[in-house]
Amino acid sequence: MKHAERQDTAAHGRKRLTALVSLLGATLFWAGNYVVGAAAVHSIDPLSLVFLRWAIALVPLLLIAQLVERPSWRAVLAAWPWLLALSVFGLLGYNLLLYFALEHTDAFNASLINAFNPALITLAAAVFLRERLTPLAVAGVVMALAGVLIVISGGDLGRLAAAGFGTGEILMVGAVVVWTAYTVIGRLAPKIPPITATAVQAAVAVALLAPVHLASGGLAVPTAGSALASLLFIAIFPSVLSYVLWNRALTVLPAGGAGVFLNLITVFTAVLTMLAGQLHTAAQFVGGAIVVGGVMVANASAFRRRRQAGA
């Protein structure tokens, strides 16, 4: 009996380890989207990049969805208004704003502003979903916002008041707002297997962008080796593998515990950009730490509830 219990414990431990490695891989690839995307937008315009990204990712996403989730496609297609809205806000809106932002600001700055997203989602959930907003959550949102302002201003709030926001920072704030809307809509939408939902949203994104490219004179397909490599990385790793790894981890770990790992996107982006030789300022590190701290404070009560539920 004890031998069987030890085997079960060991098997559970291996599953948790695999889940943790999966989360690390997913967040590393999403961080790579910032770093590689910042390089890609110099040779591929954002519209073409988003279209080609999801066009290439579409087939493997559909295959994985069918093999792993085996969805009822009739039920999935019945939710088409929700999937259309999710595609417009998430796969199109967020990524277009992100890549346009990366034409004007660096990858680390963009990831630091994006780190404010969970705090804004907490606020939006209180307003639109009537979720309870505690004083601690309010303090966390304010703290995270202060961190974002430090990042955007370079540590000089007076300069920000005089000169205003930069183009890249405004676009990145817009991306955060759009992703918040995507998250709120996702919580209201019918429950659809996640990889299946991503695959259908990718199909919608491709269908919506195709006429735009036809009207504008055709698609700008990259021919240079570096640009093509960047496109393939973005289409395969953050677009397909990150979603597969993330959802695989969620079969073992609770969503709340996995959500903490999203903060690693900023950490990995910092490491990758430093390895590429990019220098960062003290304001970026201080502001980023305040943003992440604010997110943790804003979600502290949720983390406590999840730990108690899992105890």
Side-chain angles (χ1 to χ4, degrees):
M1 190 70 176
K2 288 183 178 179
H3 178 68
E5 288 177 356
R6 283 197 298 270
Q7 284 185 321
D8 289 342
T9 302
H12 182 67
R14 286 194 294 270
K15 286 183 180 179
R16 284 184 62 84
L17 179 60
T18 301
L20 292 173
V21 172
S22 296
L23 290 176
L24 290 172
T27 50
L28 177 61
F29 296 150
W30 277 324
N33 185 41
Y34 285 85
V35 179
V36 178
V41 293
H42 294 297
S43 52
I44 312 172
D45 68 276
L47 274 172
S48 296
L49 182 55
V50 172
F51 176 83
L52 291 168
R53 170 185 179 173
W54 294 117
I56 295 170
L58 177 57
V59 172
L61 281 171
L62 285 171
L63 288 174
I64 294 169
Q66 182 60 39
L67 291 172
V68 175
E69 296 176 339
R70 298 188 179 278
S72 167
W73 289 106
R74 181 173 295 181
V76 171
L77 295 177
W80 71 265
W82 294 99
L83 292 168
L84 173 62
L86 288 168
S87 181
V88 168
F89 280 96
L91 274 62
L92 285 178
Y94 174 80
N95 286 291
L96 283 172
L97 287 168
L98 168 62
Y99 293 136
F100 277 119
L102 289 173
E103 290 184 318
H104 303 280
T105 191
D106 62 75
F108 187 43
N109 232 35
S111 73
L112 288 172
I113 296 171
N114 190 71
F116 176 62
N117 218 320
L120 186 60
I121 289 170
T122 299
L123 186 60
V127 174
F128 297 104
L129 303 178
R130 298 294 187 265
E131 293 185 7
R132 184 168 174 263
L133 189 64
T134 66
L136 192 62
V138 173
V141 170
V142 172
M143 181 179 170
L145 179 59
V148 169
L149 291 176
I150 291 172
V151 171
I152 292 174
S153 67
D156 185 355
L157 295 177
R159 188 191 73 184
L160 181 63
F165 295 99
T167 302
E169 285 74 19
I170 292 174
L171 289 168
M172 199 60 221
V173 170
V176 169
V177 172
V178 166
W179 189 263
T180 300
Y182 173 81
T183 303
V184 171
I185 294 170
R187 291 185 183 179
L188 294 170
K191 298 303 177 188
I192 298 171
I195 299 174
T196 301
T198 304
V200 175
Q201 290 170 49
V204 172
V206 171
L208 291 176
L209 280 182
V212 176
H213 285 295
L214 289 174
S216 61
L219 184 66
V221 180
T223 54
S226 59
L228 185 59
S230 296
L231 172 62
L232 291 175
F233 173 89
I234 291 170
I236 295 169
F237 288 90
S239 304
V240 177
L241 291 181
S242 282
Y243 284 96
V244 172
L245 291 171
W246 183 265
N247 289 300
R248 178 182 179 180
L250 289 182
T251 63
V252 178
L253 300 173
V260 177
F261 278 73
L262 290 174
N263 292 313
L264 288 176
I265 294 174
T266 300
V267 176
F268 283 141
T269 303
V271 172
L272 291 172
T273 51
M274 284 190 290
L275 289 174
Q278 183 177 325
L279 298 176
H280 302 309
T281 65
Q284 286 179 316
F285 286 115
V286 172
I290 293 173
V291 171
V292 173
V295 169
M296 299 296 287
V297 169
N299 292 279
S301 60
F303 295 148
R304 279 199 301 271
R305 287 197 300 270
R306 285 158 186 153
R307 281 199 297 268
Q308 291 168 355

